[in-house]
């Protein structure tokens, strides 16, 4: 099928950047991104591209170049579905918070709503592309909804999982390691492959069956997260021996079979994907009675929770076993650098623990707005919104955030933290002045020379 018009349902961290790059690389295809969230669409349409709802290096430039030409953002979902030959479903698939599979399975209600919406309004044949991360065999459910409309409209379903990482989304999209397309219909697969072929070499476009494609996405995330839990497990052992986790990571990473990437010990991984997708994998394995498989992958999450808790426990015990009434400055709130996304950020859980110990928390993050910090904490429902308001303060100037603090906790590896005037910071803090570097970004010897009591992960 020749594709002239694409619709993407879901203007989020995946839909926005992915479609912007598809539009840039395919100027003859009209791409419309739709969403039920009016505020989000309005922000995508803001004349000032620095106000886009998502911060990603390079994104604003591409939106400025393509928006209004062949890239459009709209809330008119039905119209966009009707007009397009190809529809991407890129809505959120969070962990279920209710009913069967609560806390484990992926909640597919948004995906199902999209399928029903497409089934209801489509009057011409469509290729429907699963861009969201979905459990194995979800395409089957979408197919069943679409094929039972009673009309003679034909639907082909493809799985095309996205592998971009936030903070590097545009570079990942422009230079993907691979593009994965799972499907039954060769012509539908080639229609989608042609769109990517505008900039991705053919040998990097993999074609598989639908289920391999769906499972590959969950597996890739499980393997990546497993590496982090593995190095984090070793970091704890390093802290009890004379070993240094950075040196260990470097030494093992030079083995070409292991490789150097994704071996940074940390306060634990965050983000909207790793935990959700592994829990989903565990749930699927258990639902087939594969308990050994489920237990194996679940350990990646257990270790990650342990790592976050260990960080806050260590902070409290180092501060003479109490943080009550003490000011703890948290540098960074996003789950990683170069994004304004805070979903599952370790900072939220560390702050919550410290607040339960009656600490006063001062937060500075270069990209996360103040109201997001409060909404993340309020969402946990550990204490009243008023208490969170009283105990937590947010700052737009890092030097103000750290003033009179008993300790600094580095939660995100923002590059700017390395460039701060740490002598100035030291002189403005309470003494002894502690730094808990959850990202191993500062130089221990330099911090000790300034006078800080410096501790990091696995050193
Ligand atoms: N964030 C990432 O880095 C990343 C990377 C790869 C894959 N994924 C997967 O991609 C999917 C989307 O993730 P995201 O981070 O973009 O989510 P997101 O929450 O940022 O965006 C999803 C958007 O879908 C909209 N939406 C929900 N239901 C809708 C409906 N029925 N009609 C129209 N709009 C609807 C929401 O309003 C929201 O704006 C998830 O399955 C996720 O696992 C995410
Ligand atoms: O060596 C490392 C690498 C990462 N992290 C942490 O791990 C989390 C996730 O980081 P990253 O994977 O870079 O970002 P995401 O945007 O979550 O991307 C992951 O999740 C996406 C959603 O499925 C996938 O598309 C990507 O391929 C996959 O990397 C963050 O908290 C990082 O700080 C570490 O602690 N140590």
């Amino acid at each position: 099928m020749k594709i002239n018009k694409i619709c993407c349902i879901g203007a989020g961290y995946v839909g926005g950047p992915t479609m912007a790059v598809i539009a840039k690389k395919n100027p003859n295809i009209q791409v419309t991104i739709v969403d039920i969230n009016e505020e989000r669409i309005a922000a995508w349409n803001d004349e000032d591209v620095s106000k886009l709802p998502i911060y990603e290096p390079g994104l604003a430039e591409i939106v400025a170049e393509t928006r209004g030409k062949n890239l459009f953002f709209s809330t008119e979902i039905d119209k966009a579905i009707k007009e397009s030959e190809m529809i991407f479903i890129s809505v959120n698939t969070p962990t279920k918070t209710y009913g069967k599979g609560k806390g484990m399975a992926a909640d597919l209600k948004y995906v199902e709503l999209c399928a029903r919406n497409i089934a209801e309004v489509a009057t011409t044949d469509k290729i429907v592309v699963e861009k969201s991360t979905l459990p194995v065999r979800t395409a089957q459910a979408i197919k069943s909804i679409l094929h039972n409309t009673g009309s003679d409209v034909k639907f082909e379903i493809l799985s095309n999982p996205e592998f971009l990482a936030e903070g590097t989304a545009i570079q990942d999209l422009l230079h993907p390691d691979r593009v994965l397309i799972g499907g039954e219909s060769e012509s539908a697969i080639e229609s989608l492959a042609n769109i990517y072929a505008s900039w991705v070499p053919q040998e990097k476009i993999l074609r598989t069956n639908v289920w391999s494609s769906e499972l590959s996405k969950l597996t890739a995330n499980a393997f990546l997260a497993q590496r982090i839990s593995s190095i984090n497990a070793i970091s704890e052992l390093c802290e009890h021996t004379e070993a240094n986790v950075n040196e260990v990571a470097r030494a093992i990473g030079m083995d070409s079979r292991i490789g150097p990437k994704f071996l940074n010990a940390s306060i634990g991984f965050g983000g909207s994907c790793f935990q959700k997708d592994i829990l989903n994998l565990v749930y699927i394995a258990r639902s087939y009675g594969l308990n050994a498989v489920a237990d194996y992958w679940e350990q990646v999450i257990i270790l990650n929770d342990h790592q976050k808790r260990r960080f806050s426990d260590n902070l409290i015990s180092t501060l003479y076993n109490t943080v009550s009434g003490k000011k703890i400055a948290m540098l960074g709130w996003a789950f990683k650098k170069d994004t304004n996304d805070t979903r599952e950020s370790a900072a939220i859980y560390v702050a919550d623990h410290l607040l339960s110990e009656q600490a006063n928390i001062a937060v500075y993050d270069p990209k996360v707005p103040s109201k997001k910090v409060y909404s993340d904490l309020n969402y946990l429902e550990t204490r009243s919104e008023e208490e969170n308001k009283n105990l937590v303060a947010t700052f737009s100037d890092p030097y103000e955030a750290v003033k009179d603090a008993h300790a600094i906790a580095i939660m995100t590896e923002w590059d700017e933290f390395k460039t701060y005037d740490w002598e100035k910071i030291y002189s403005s803090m309470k003494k002894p002045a502690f730094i808990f570097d959850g990202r191993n970004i500062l130089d221990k010897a330099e911090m000790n020379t300034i006078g800080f009591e410096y501790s990091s992960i696995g050193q």
Side-chain angles (χ1 to χ4, degrees):
M1 193 192 278
K2 169 98 178 74
I3 306 299
N4 299 305
K5 287 188 179 179
I6 289 177
C7 157
C8 172
I9 310 180
Y13 282 87
V14 168
T18 309
M19 292 302 130
V21 169
I22 286 183
K24 177 183 162 72
K25 296 293 184 181
N26 292 277
N28 298 325
I29 298 181
Q30 181 183 310
V31 181
T32 306
I33 313 181
V34 292
D35 204 294
I36 38 173
N37 184 333
E38 288 177 11
E39 203 184 320
R40 211 167 208 189
I41 291 297
W44 279 113
N45 281 324
D46 202 304
E47 252 175 65
D48 177 358
V49 285
S50 73
K51 296 205 175 113
L52 297 183
I54 284 163
Y55 172 71
E56 271 296 336
L59 173 65
E61 291 81 348
I62 297 183
V63 171
E65 183 188 329
T66 51
R67 196 177 55 188
K69 292 197 182 104
N70 68 325
L71 179 67
F72 300 91
F73 296 90
S74 163
T75 51
E76 290 185 83
I77 301 176
D78 292 358
K79 179 168 179 273
I81 291 174
K82 250 193 204 122
E83 288 176 357
S84 307
E85 296 101 12
M86 184 176 275
I87 300 159
F88 287 77
I89 299 181
S90 187
V91 298
N92 36 329
T93 49
T95 305
K96 268 187 96 174
T97 53
Y98 56 90
K100 188 161 181 257
K102 179 179 173 180
M104 299 293 292
D107 192 341
L108 298 183
K109 75 176 168 208
Y110 305 108
V111 171
E112 184 173 336
L113 280 171
C114 291
R116 290 188 186 280
N117 199 348
I118 297 168
E120 222 172 87
V121 305
T123 50
T124 53
D125 296 353
K126 313 278 180 205
I127 298 172
V128 176
V129 185
E130 298 178 349
K131 190 48 122 175
S132 297
T133 302
L134 295 168
V136 197
R137 304 201 77 86
T138 305
Q140 202 62 35
I142 297 179
K143 202 170 169 178
S144 156
I145 292 168
L146 293 175
H147 286 180
N148 283 294
T149 56
S151 78
D152 52 8
V153 174
K154 289 196 182 50
F155 296 99
E156 292 294 347
I157 291 113
L158 299 176
S159 160
N160 173 223
E162 184 48 59
F163 295 99
L164 68 81
E166 290 178 25
T168 53
I170 299 301
Q171 283 311 309
D172 294 345
L173 287 163
L174 290 173
H175 311 285
D177 287 343
R178 76 321 208 168
V179 165
L180 181 55
I181 304 176
E184 279 171 5
S185 148
E186 207 175 304
S187 73
I189 293 176
E190 292 317 310
S191 296
L192 179 56
N194 277 340
I195 293 171
Y196 285 109
S198 303
W199 81 98
V200 180
Q202 274 295 350
E203 64 273 17
K204 289 194 173 181
I205 305 178
L206 298 186
R207 285 98 165 151
T208 65
N209 76 34
V210 181
W211 305 285
S212 302
S213 171
E214 290 175 337
L215 184 57
S216 299
K217 174 63 196 175
L218 296 183
T219 307
N221 275 353
F223 269 60
L224 289 167
Q226 182 203 41
R227 272 174 83 89
I228 304 170
S229 280
S230 297
I231 199 70
N232 281 343
I234 298 301
S235 77
E236 188 169 15
L237 193 52
C238 287
E239 288 166 26
H240 289 270
T241 60
E242 297 279 297
N244 176 325
V245 78
N246 293 343
E247 292 177 358
V248 174
R250 184 147 182 264
I252 64 164
M254 285 174 80
D255 185 323
S256 59
R257 293 167 302 173
I258 296 175
K261 293 182 184 166
F262 252 70
L263 286 177
N264 295 323
S266 66
I267 32 166
F269 58 76
S272 62
C273 295
F274 283 170
Q275 174 164 305
K276 160 178 85 75
D277 293 347
I278 294 175
L279 287 173
N280 190 10
L281 190 67
V282 170
Y283 182 75
I284 293 168
R286 269 206 223 296
S287 70
Y288 285 107
L290 309 176
N291 289 326
V293 177
D295 290 348
Y296 176 77
W297 288 110
E298 192 165 30
Q299 202 57 38
V300 173
I301 303 286
I302 292 170
L303 202 286
N304 197 51
D305 288 339
H306 171 70
Q307 189 75 354
K308 289 184 264 186
R309 185 67 182 200
R310 201 164 85 65
F311 182 82
S312 46
D313 279 343
N314 175 44
L315 189 151
I316 295 163
S317 66
T318 308
L319 291 187
Y320 319 106
N321 286 319
T322 177
V323 287
S324 179
K326 291 180 182 169
K327 178 177 175 182
I328 314 293
M330 293 178 91
L331 294 184
W333 191 261
F335 80 97
K336 64 184 285 198
K337 73 171 179 177
D338 292 337
T339 179
N340 60 349
D341 195 350
T342 64
R343 289 176 288 182
E344 292 301 330
S345 179
I348 302 169
Y349 298 96
V350 169
D352 189 54
H353 183 196
L354 298 177
L355 289 168
S356 295
E357 294 287 332
Q358 302 181 343
N360 292 307
I361 306 278
V363 180
Y364 166 78
D365 187 288
K367 290 289 174 197
V368 176
S370 174
K371 68 172 190 221
K372 190 82 192 77
V373 173
Y374 291 108
S375 69
D376 286 340
L377 288 168
N378 292 338
Y379 183 77
L380 298 179
E381 294 183 350
T382 314
R383 63 195 69 73
S384 70
E385 294 191 7
E386 204 186 332
E387 277 174 289
N388 281 333
K389 194 91 207 160
N390 290 339
L391 291 171
V392 180
T394 60
F395 293 83
S396 52
D397 175 351
Y399 293 95
E400 284 300 314
V402 300
K403 210 163 155 189
D404 291 323
H406 292 76
I408 292 174
I410 298 180
M411 310 308 292
T412 312
E413 73 282 22
W414 286 103
D415 289 335
E416 66 173 60
F417 298 163
K418 293 185 218 166
T419 66
Y420 287 174
D421 182 343
W422 286 97
E423 301 215 8
K424 178 175 159 189
I425 290 175
Y426 177 76
S427 58
S428 76
M429 286 175 66
K430 292 250 187 316
K431 307 294 175 323
F434 294 91
I435 294 179
F436 298 87
D437 185 350
R439 298 293 189 162
N440 291 0
I441 55 170
L442 300 178
D443 185 79
K444 185 182 168 98
E446 193 186 327
M447 293 302 127
N448 286 339
T449 307
I450 294 173
F452 284 110
E453 299 287 330
Y454 174 85
S455 63
S456 53
I457 308 283
Q459 297 183 56

